């Protein structure tokens, strides 16, 4: 975020838009609420999605509509769902193309099943953050496509490459759940060049599952993934990492673990081309600085406005 952009945005107050299927809100559909935001928006917009299952629309946040927050109250009762597969760019239930997006307390799912690629959430905008969301599918659940992203306390479920893409992302205190019955993969990070400052860091996370899974496999030759302070259940295959049948990538990938624990964290049978990091090597990767977060992660707004009326905390929304 540039200094000029930061200076023009009041981070404490957001325009409130309510979505409620009963018709008591401003809109019945989430996409209609997003469409109501002006192009090249320069104010925080908080779209409050009331409880319900929103299943009749694919949702896109266009690139020219930054600074939108899409928020439920808790993911168990605010569910955005679709059923499409085949193309990772076209199948997502929710696609975020805009910068400075925030998603909060939502379930985002694709119920296409195990027949092929089916993305629940595609994040292709820069500076996107997700808090307390549930992201569910089978293959390619989260297309963490491009940009700098932050995921906090999210639950992410899938079987095959279910966190994939070429963003620079930090996952903090997230729960990763594999539903693969045999030899799935949690990540397929797509870094293609050594010069790209992209990769996935999982910090203080938890991995559970139903069968066996690898920590990752290289979609790109310079794929980069780190798990740190992460609980690994026995679901993790002893080898830990898969080379996608391409041994040439052994010398170019960066696959590492740091102070992980649990039955799946035993490194005695790990592939030799993965590493256990030293304190010094791990330190720069274990803060929000690796995604530049100190300059763009923002707290939730403290007041809202509808038209010219300011709604203070504690007021009835």
């Amino acid at each position: 975020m540039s200094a000029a952009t930061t200076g023009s945005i009041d981070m404490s107050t957001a325009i409130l838009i309510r979505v409620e299927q009963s018709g008591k809100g401003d809109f019945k559909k989430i996409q209609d609420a997003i469409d109501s935001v002006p192009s090249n928006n320069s104010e925080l917009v908080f779209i409050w999605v009331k409880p319900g299952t929103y299943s009749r629309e694919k949702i896109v946040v266009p690139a020219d509509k930054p600074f939108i927050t899409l928020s439920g109250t808790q993911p168990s009762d605010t569910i955005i769902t679709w059923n499409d597969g085949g193309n990772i760019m076209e199948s997502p239930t929710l696609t975020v193309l805009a910068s400075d997006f925030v998603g909060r307390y939502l379930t985002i799912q694709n119920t296409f099943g195990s027949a092929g690629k089916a993305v629940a959430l595609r994040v292709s905008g820069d500076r996107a953050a997700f808090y307390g969301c549930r992201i569910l599918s089978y293959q390619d659940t989260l297309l963490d496509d491009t940009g700098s992203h932050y995921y906090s306390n999210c639950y992410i479920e899938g079987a095959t490459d279910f966190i994939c893409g070429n963003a620079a992302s930090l996952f903090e205190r997230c729960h990763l759940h594999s539903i693969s019955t045999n030899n799935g993969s949690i990540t397929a990070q797509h870094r293609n060049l050594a010069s790209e400052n992209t990769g996935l860091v999982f910090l203080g996370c938890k991995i559970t599952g139903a069968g066996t899974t690898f920590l990752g496999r290289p979609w790109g030759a310079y794929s980069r993934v780190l798990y740190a302070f992460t609980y690994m259940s026995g679901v993790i295959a002893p080898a830990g990492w898969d080379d996608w049948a391409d041994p040439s990538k052994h010398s170019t990938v960066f696959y590492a673990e740091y102070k992980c624990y649990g039955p799946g964290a035993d490194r005695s049978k790990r592939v030799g081309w993965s590493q256990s990091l030293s304190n010094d090597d791990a330190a720069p990767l274990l803060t929000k600085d690796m995604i530049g977060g100190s300059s763009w992660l923002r707290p939730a707004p403290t007041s809202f406005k509808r038209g010219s009326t300011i709604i203070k905390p504690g007021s009835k929304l």
Side-chain angles (χ1 to χ4, degrees):
M1 187 187 302
S2 69
T5 304
T6 303
S8 66
I9 299 287
D10 176 2
M11 292 294 174
S12 66
T13 303
I15 297 168
L16 179 65
I17 301 174
R18 298 172 301 174
V19 178
E20 190 165 5
Q21 290 176 321
S22 68
K24 295 179 180 179
D26 301 299
F27 297 96
K28 292 182 179 181
K29 293 186 175 182
I30 297 170
Q31 190 65 56
D32 289 345
I34 294 168
D35 291 347
S36 75
V37 177
S39 295
N40 304 312
N41 168 57
S42 60
E43 295 186 85
L44 291 187
V45 175
F46 192 97
I47 299 175
W48 185 18
V49 184
K50 297 296 186 73
T53 298
Y54 295 81
S55 59
R56 297 181 181 178
E57 51 181 338
K58 269 189 183 180
I59 296 166
V60 177
V61 184
D64 64 349
K65 298 190 178 186
F67 301 110
I68 288 176
T69 293
L70 196 62
S71 180
T73 50
Q74 55 186 10
S76 60
D77 63 20
T78 311
I79 300 166
I80 303 171
T81 184
W82 194 257
N83 180 2
D84 193 12
N87 184 299
I88 60 172
M89 296 298 181
E90 296 175 3
S91 64
T93 302
L94 171 60
T95 296
V96 178
L97 304 177
S99 66
D100 301 286
F101 176 87
V102 175
R104 292 161 41 99
Y105 313 128
L106 300 164
T107 289
I108 305 159
Q109 67 180 15
N110 190 329
T111 60
F112 185 73
S114 60
K117 301 170 184 175
V119 177
L121 172 62
R122 171 189 168 192
V123 190
S124 300
D126 198 14
R127 303 182 297 271
F130 294 83
Y131 300 92
C133 289
R134 297 173 74 243
I135 307 165
L136 315 174
S137 187
Y138 187 89
Q139 181 172 348
D140 301 339
T141 301
L142 170 58
L143 176 53
D144 193 51
D145 186 28
T146 183
S148 295
H149 306 150
Y150 178 64
Y151 301 85
S152 174
N153 290 290
C154 291
Y155 174 90
I156 307 168
E157 180 181 286
T160 306
D161 308 333
F162 65 92
I163 301 174
C164 58
N166 196 20
S169 296
L170 174 61
F171 296 77
E172 198 161 15
R173 298 181 302 278
C174 291
H175 181 176
L176 316 177
H177 185 74
S178 171
I179 53 175
S180 168
T181 55
N182 188 42
N183 294 338
S185 182
I186 295 170
T187 66
Q189 206 279 330
H190 200 196
R191 182 169 174 253
N192 287 303
L193 301 169
S195 58
E196 291 180 292
N197 188 25
T198 61
L200 307 175
V201 174
F202 298 90
L203 178 59
C205 294
K206 176 171 69 172
I207 301 172
T208 59
T212 61
T213 188
F214 290 99
L215 295 168
R217 60 179 185 165
W219 188 5
Y222 289 84
S223 183
R224 182 159 60 179
V225 181
L226 166 65
Y227 293 87
F229 300 109
T230 289
Y231 171 79
M232 298 180 178
S233 71
V235 70
I236 303 301
W241 306 87
D242 177 57
D243 64 8
W244 217 323
D246 186 357
S248 69
K249 294 177 180 175
H250 292 182
S251 61
T252 54
V253 299
F254 177 87
Y255 285 161
E257 297 161 61
Y258 177 72
K259 294 189 176 180
C260 294
Y261 61 101
D266 179 1
R267 285 193 48 81
S268 64
K269 296 181 181 179
R270 288 290 194 263
V271 293
W273 39 275
S274 71
Q275 28 185 324
S276 181
L277 292 190
S278 68
N279 293 343
D280 289 344
D281 289 339
L285 301 173
L286 301 181
T287 74
K288 295 181 180 66
D289 292 342
M290 61 85 57
I291 56 168
S294 59
S295 68
W296 62 267
L297 285 171
R298 63 181 189 261
T302 54
S303 59
F304 301 90
K305 61 182 179 180
R306 295 176 58 76
S308 59
T309 303
I310 300 292
I311 306 168
K312 292 296 184 183
S315 301
K316 187 175 181 180
L317 301 180

